[in-house]
Amino acid sequence: WIRNQKWLVKIFMIVTVVGLGTLIYFRVDAFLWQLLLYLLVTVGVPATTWFLLNSLRKASGTVIPDNEPIVIRIQNLVKIYDRDNKFVREWKSGLAIRKRLGLTRTYESAKDLVVLIWQLPILGFLIFFVYFYLDSGLWLFLLTMLIYAALLGIWQPIGSWIGNSEGKRKKIALVVRRLILWGFPVFSLVLFHKLWDNLALEILIGLAWFFALMVYATARILAEKEINVNRITGRFGLLRRGFFRMVQSIPLIGKKKKPFKALAGVSMEISSGMFGLLGPNGAGKTTMMRIICGIFEQSYGKIWINGEDTQEKREELQGLIGYLPQEFGMYENMTAGEFLHYQGMLKGLTDPKIRSERVDYTLKAVHMIEKIDHKIGSFSGGMKQRIGIAQILLHLPRILVVDEPTAGLDPRERIRFRNLLVQLSRERVVIFSTHIIEDISSSCNQVAVLNKGELKYLGNPLDMADTAKGAVWQVEVSVGEFDQLSEDYKVIHHMRDGQKIRARLLAAEKPAEDAIPVTPLLEDAYLWMLGKKL
């Protein structure tokens, strides 16, 4: 990183390190403190320089020329929530390789425990050194923790060997483990009481130690039994749910990570116009949009905007993007004009004249200029969505990312808002996430269908209907036959007609003798791609 910096930055770091080093040499006498301060300067100056350079990088819309059309290229995008850090992943990868090669040690007989013999003298010496030689209370406490960890580590393979047997030996292994886990802290606290004569400190350490053990044991039970905390009821249900949630939020000893893959190798290209992201709740739409905006970091894969890597130039490219999440807050006691002026100042529009022009422009763009002096609290849901769009238009972004904007709007407001996005897409890229088929079919010139993090379709909405060709049928059945029909096939909709029920369904083959093939609609194709039972 230092080698790639400009020569002025290099000179600044060299001069700073030399100056601080000289100051330490002449002002600090103790060699140990000199050594520590030299180390701090050697690490701290480059780290501080890196922080300053990155924090001063501002979102800029000039990274890509104004006359250059925007193209977003996504390649093999993967997002895994709650995954382990890099060190743990490498460690587990090494264990998996050893297991595959047959190098993993198993403890099936007493002979397998020979590898532990060398650890026992070290543990014995550590016990002698700590309990019969040390005088320092601090080191006694720290090394007691080390002995505790060593005892649990040595007993783990022994308990694994004994646990492979049945009957009394297995019960004995369980009892010994509990004695080490819960009994050793009691022994240590008694020892601390004899040596320290500081009751308050001993009580504090005891409470902290046993609380940590209780959290560890509870978290282990919750993970092993896969208990859903939110569904716990009965006596003291509220208190138990609160305690269990607290346990699951404590890192290391309480929180058990369950990696979840939200995106699984998604690749696509997005160009100017309306781009629709279609999929059910939990399909990965919001995750992908937030990665594009730079809010989330992808686990694997790359995103380029006109050839610029979004990870390398994250701050610079964010100036091109305006993001409207599904749920956003506003100051409802402000008028539309006051709110947008406030947001404009936060976005760096400090000149009152320029800011007023931009506020008027954005309100005209969303057809709300006549409401500039009205309080936001009096607006309908669709009007608030339009104010949200006006807010993100303040810095004239070339990419609009809108997440589920029509959810909860009545049909008239939904149509108005959809038409507004189509109008805005003439000059910019609009990425529009929804699970409403009608929004896609009437506004988007390109659509991607996501399901469980996987890309099911990418192309024109009109061509999407053809993917269900030959799989959509209409059939008339009796009331009694309909229940069986709905169990065997995916019924899209049905209508009662006298003593018969006319049903439209999805099936790879003709479901009945009198079934008639019908022309598939976009909704049919969408449900056919998802391949799930309705």
Side-chain angles (χ1 to χ4, degrees):
W1 173 79
I2 293 173
R3 189 164 54 246
N4 293 331
Q5 295 307 306
K6 295 177 181 179
W7 62 273
L8 281 174
V9 177
K10 293 179 183 176
I11 289 175
F12 167 76
M13 286 192 285
I14 291 170
V15 170
T16 306
V17 169
V18 172
L20 291 174
T22 305
L23 190 66
I24 292 168
Y25 180 79
F26 287 107
R27 292 297 182 94
V28 180
D29 296 327
F31 173 74
L32 180 61
W33 279 109
Q34 282 184 345
L35 189 64
L36 291 173
L37 289 171
Y38 283 142
L39 181 63
L40 181 63
V41 167
T42 306
V43 175
V45 170
T48 305
T49 306
W50 177 87
F51 174 77
L52 289 173
L53 289 174
N54 282 276
S55 62
L56 292 174
R57 288 164 62 192
K58 292 183 178 180
S60 171
T62 59
V63 179
I64 297 171
D66 292 337
N67 58 353
E68 187 177 321
I70 296 290
V71 177
I72 303 172
R73 189 159 65 90
I74 301 170
Q75 182 177 327
N76 195 31
L77 194 65
V78 176
K79 176 63 179 177
I80 304 172
Y81 288 103
D82 275 341
R83 70 171 181 162
D84 296 318
N85 59 49
K86 188 174 182 180
F87 176 81
V88 174
R89 294 200 307 271
E90 294 288 346
W91 181 271
K92 289 182 177 179
S93 176
L95 293 178
I97 292 171
R98 287 177 60 84
K99 188 175 182 179
R100 220 166 27 242
L101 296 175
L103 300 176
T104 304
R105 189 176 299 279
T106 57
Y107 300 94
E108 297 177 354
S109 66
K111 293 180 180 179
D112 296 324
L113 301 176
V114 174
V115 294
L116 302 177
I117 291 177
W118 66 271
Q119 299 180 29
L120 296 178
I122 296 176
L123 179 62
F125 170 76
L126 190 60
I127 291 172
F128 168 78
F129 179 74
V130 172
Y131 298 128
F132 298 96
Y133 183 79
L134 268 183
D135 293 326
S136 171
L138 175 62
W139 283 107
L140 174 68
F141 171 72
L142 294 176
L143 291 178
T144 296
M145 296 296 108
L146 182 61
I147 291 173
Y148 186 49
L151 282 171
L152 289 172
I154 290 175
W155 179 254
Q156 186 175 358
I158 298 174
S160 177
W161 164 59
I162 299 175
N164 290 329
S165 59
E166 296 295 332
K168 291 184 179 180
R169 292 176 64 186
K170 191 170 184 178
K171 291 181 180 178
I172 291 171
L174 187 61
V175 170
V176 173
R177 184 182 180 279
R178 287 177 178 172
L179 277 174
I180 296 173
L181 191 65
W182 297 92
F184 185 81
V186 175
F187 163 76
S188 300
L189 289 171
V190 171
L191 184 66
F192 293 160
H193 179 66
K194 288 185 177 181
L195 296 176
W196 290 353
D197 194 23
N198 189 338
L199 186 60
L201 180 62
E202 295 153 16
I203 291 174
L204 184 64
I205 290 174
L207 289 174
W209 201 338
F210 280 100
F211 176 76
L213 285 174
M214 185 169 59
V215 168
Y216 168 77
T218 305
R220 189 171 178 178
I221 292 170
L222 292 175
E224 288 177 354
K225 296 185 177 180
E226 297 182 352
I227 297 172
N228 188 339
V229 173
N230 296 319
R231 294 186 177 180
I232 292 176
T233 56
R235 184 175 294 180
F236 305 114
L238 183 63
L239 290 174
R240 287 160 60 204
R241 286 196 302 273
F243 174 70
F244 291 153
R245 288 195 189 104
M246 180 196 68
V247 165
Q248 291 180 333
S249 66
I250 297 175
L252 297 178
I253 58 174
K255 188 176 181 180
K256 303 294 182 183
K257 291 185 177 180
K258 292 182 180 179
F260 168 69
K261 187 179 285 188
L263 292 174
V266 175
S267 299
M268 63 177 71
E269 191 172 283
I270 304 172
S271 53
S272 297
M274 280 279 286
F275 183 90
L277 272 177
L278 188 62
N281 294 329
K285 304 187 299 295
T286 299
T287 297
M288 194 176 94
M289 297 171 86
R290 290 183 177 179
I291 293 173
I292 292 172
C293 295
I295 299 170
F296 286 170
E297 191 85 14
Q298 63 261 40
S299 303
Y300 304 102
K302 286 288 184 183
I303 299 178
W304 294 274
I305 299 178
N306 285 37
E308 301 287 351
D309 191 335
T310 56
Q311 285 181 301
E312 292 180 3
K313 296 192 175 181
R314 181 174 177 172
E315 288 81 5
E316 294 90 337
L317 291 170
Q318 281 182 335
L320 296 169
I321 302 171
Y323 175 54
L324 184 69
Q326 185 175 354
E327 295 180 1
F328 58 93
M330 290 185 178
Y331 298 109
E332 299 199 351
N333 59 329
M334 285 185 174
T335 66
E338 289 170 346
F339 177 73
L340 292 177
H341 271 281
Y342 171 64
Q343 292 296 324
M345 285 187 281
L346 293 179
K347 293 176 185 290
L349 296 172
T350 54
D351 189 319
K353 184 180 178 181
I354 295 175
R355 191 171 63 248
S356 295
E357 291 174 355
R358 198 71 62 83
V359 168
D360 290 346
Y361 164 77
T362 57
L363 284 174
K364 287 175 183 176
V366 300
H367 310 296
M368 290 283 288
I369 188 65
E370 71 280 359
K371 302 288 186 180
I372 188 170
D373 295 322
H374 292 231
K375 288 198 173 183
I376 293 174
S378 65
F379 292 168
S380 65
M383 294 165 75
K384 288 178 181 178
Q385 291 279 24
R386 281 190 270 169
I387 294 297
I389 288 289
Q391 174 189 337
I392 65 176
L393 285 175
L394 283 170
H395 68 288
L396 303 177
R398 299 182 64 191
I399 302 170
L400 284 184
V401 181
V402 191
D403 189 8
E404 301 276 7
T406 59
L409 300 184
D410 63 57
R412 185 176 62 175
E413 288 281 14
R414 194 168 73 242
I415 291 169
R416 284 179 181 173
F417 193 77
R418 200 168 58 209
N419 292 338
L420 169 63
L421 292 179
V422 172
Q423 182 181 344
L424 294 172
S425 69
R426 295 171 190 166
E427 302 174 357
R428 51 182 62 85
V429 176
V430 176
I431 302 175
F432 173 53
S433 162
T434 186
H435 57 265
I436 301 173
I437 303 291
E438 185 185 347
D439 290 340
I440 296 292
S441 60
S442 58
S443 59
C444 297
N445 53 357
Q446 198 176 12
V447 62
V449 178
L450 291 176
N451 186 35
K452 296 180 181 178
E454 296 180 355
L455 183 64
K456 297 295 183 180
Y457 177 81
L458 177 64
N460 192 293
L462 298 177
D463 298 333
M464 181 175 154
D466 294 337
T467 60
K469 209 166 188 177
V472 187
W473 306 86
Q474 183 174 299
V475 63
E476 286 191 359
V477 294
S478 65
V479 176
E481 294 172 327
F482 178 74
D483 290 338
Q484 185 63 42
L485 186 76
S486 60
E487 287 184 10
D488 296 337
Y489 301 100
K490 299 169 185 174
V491 177
I492 301 170
H493 61 76
H494 61 279
M495 181 183 296
R496 181 109 181 213
D497 186 8
Q499 298 302 315
K500 294 282 187 178
I501 293 180
R502 186 184 298 116
R504 185 186 182 96
L505 55 86
L506 296 173
E509 298 178 354
K510 194 172 183 178
E513 287 295 327
D514 57 345
I516 303 169
V518 293
T519 304
L521 303 174
L522 197 63
E523 182 183 31
D524 303 325
Y526 171 63
L527 295 174
W528 180 247
M529 286 174 188
L530 296 186
K532 67 176 184 179
K533 194 78 174 176
L534 299 181

